[in-house]
Amino acid sequence: MILTVLSMKYLKSPTSTKIALRENNPSKLLEKSRLMSNIDWMRKEVCELPVLAQLVLRGQIMLLRTKLKSKSSGNTSVRASIQGLGKSCSPVYIGGSTVPCGIGTNTSQRACDHLRCIACDFWVESYDDYRWDKSCDYLFFRNNMPEFHKLKTKLVKKTGTRAYACQCSWRTVEELTDLQTDHQLRWVCGKH
């Protein structure tokens, strides 16, 4: 009786319940019911994770794969580039085309080139020696990001500037700027 209640509650297929009962193997039935409930629980947990947490999990998986590949590789330049993976800019800077890109710190003031917008969940694109036209609006970026051939209709060539944009925000920058000073932008370092 208890096995029947358990099987009806956790197993999707009534035929598998009948087979397990016919074989007189209650341990198989309990094992399958536990497995099904664990799978349902994991599916529910993963679906309910916030988007940012899912990205972090994917990033950790990619980092692990990259580290495993680097151990088998004898190439020292690959190892050197992997050592920078997983590091974040602190503070996060943006800057014109004369400002070098990379991991920004207080001592090494570099413009972050791995920005991610937490408002629209898009990577931030940057274009050296361009500025955004004054006629740009939210719908233009919403409809055209991240395709450069569509965006270039509103990009104006200007030496020394860098045009930044995601799907919901855009900026033209000439000098090094700390993102903490611009409270409207929801951009964070997406790790290097």
Side-chain angles (χ1 to χ4, degrees):
M1 179 75 173
I2 294 173
L3 286 176
T4 309
V5 172
L6 278 174
S7 64
M8 292 306 168
K9 184 175 181 184
Y10 292 107
L11 293 175
K12 305 294 183 207
S13 162
T15 56
S16 61
T17 306
K18 289 176 187 173
I19 292 169
L21 288 173
R22 195 177 323 129
E23 291 176 358
N24 242 350
N25 194 346
S27 63
K28 275 189 178 179
L29 187 61
L30 282 174
E31 183 179 303
K32 190 168 183 179
S33 68
R34 286 185 190 133
L35 180 65
M36 291 303 293
S37 64
N38 285 343
I39 290 171
D40 290 340
W41 176 82
M42 286 188 298
R43 187 179 298 133
K44 181 181 173 196
E45 289 296 313
V46 168
C47 291
E48 289 181 0
L49 279 176
V51 174
L52 191 58
Q54 289 179 13
L55 290 172
V56 168
L57 287 174
R58 286 186 200 134
Q60 294 299 325
I61 291 168
M62 292 304 294
L63 177 63
L64 181 61
R65 286 182 187 160
T66 309
K67 282 185 178 179
L68 289 174
K69 286 180 186 175
S70 72
K71 286 181 181 176
S72 63
S73 169
N75 190 348
T76 55
S77 64
V78 171
R79 272 195 216 124
S81 66
I82 289 171
Q83 287 175 353
L85 286 174
K87 293 187 177 181
S88 293
C89 297
S90 179
V92 182
Y93 294 108
I94 56 176
S97 61
T98 58
V99 176
C101 293
I103 300 173
T105 63
N106 285 324
T107 55
S108 171
Q109 297 181 336
R110 297 175 179 270
C112 181
D113 55 354
H114 284 96
L115 293 170
R116 183 107 181 146
C117 180
I118 58 173
C120 66
D121 198 30
F122 260 68
W123 288 102
V124 177
E125 299 288 329
S126 64
Y127 305 102
D128 287 344
D129 296 322
Y130 283 101
R131 69 171 178 81
W132 292 113
D133 188 69
K134 294 189 189 304
S135 65
C136 289
D137 61 353
Y138 172 82
L139 282 176
F140 171 75
F141 291 102
R142 184 84 176 135
N143 294 328
N144 299 311
M145 275 303 284
E147 298 174 35
F148 179 73
H149 70 278
K150 291 180 179 180
L151 293 171
K152 69 181 178 182
T153 59
K154 300 274 185 170
L155 282 167
V156 179
K157 196 87 166 140
K158 185 175 181 189
T159 307
T161 62
R162 188 175 285 144
Y164 290 91
C166 61
Q167 226 185 19
C168 66
S169 304
W170 63 98
R171 290 289 182 277
T172 299
V173 183
E174 288 187 50
E175 56 193 39
L176 191 71
T177 307
D178 189 342
L179 276 180
Q180 290 178 341
T181 61
D182 194 339
H183 300 289
Q184 292 178 338
L185 292 177
R186 307 271 317 268
W187 296 346
V188 296
C189 177
K191 294 195 178 181
H192 295 262

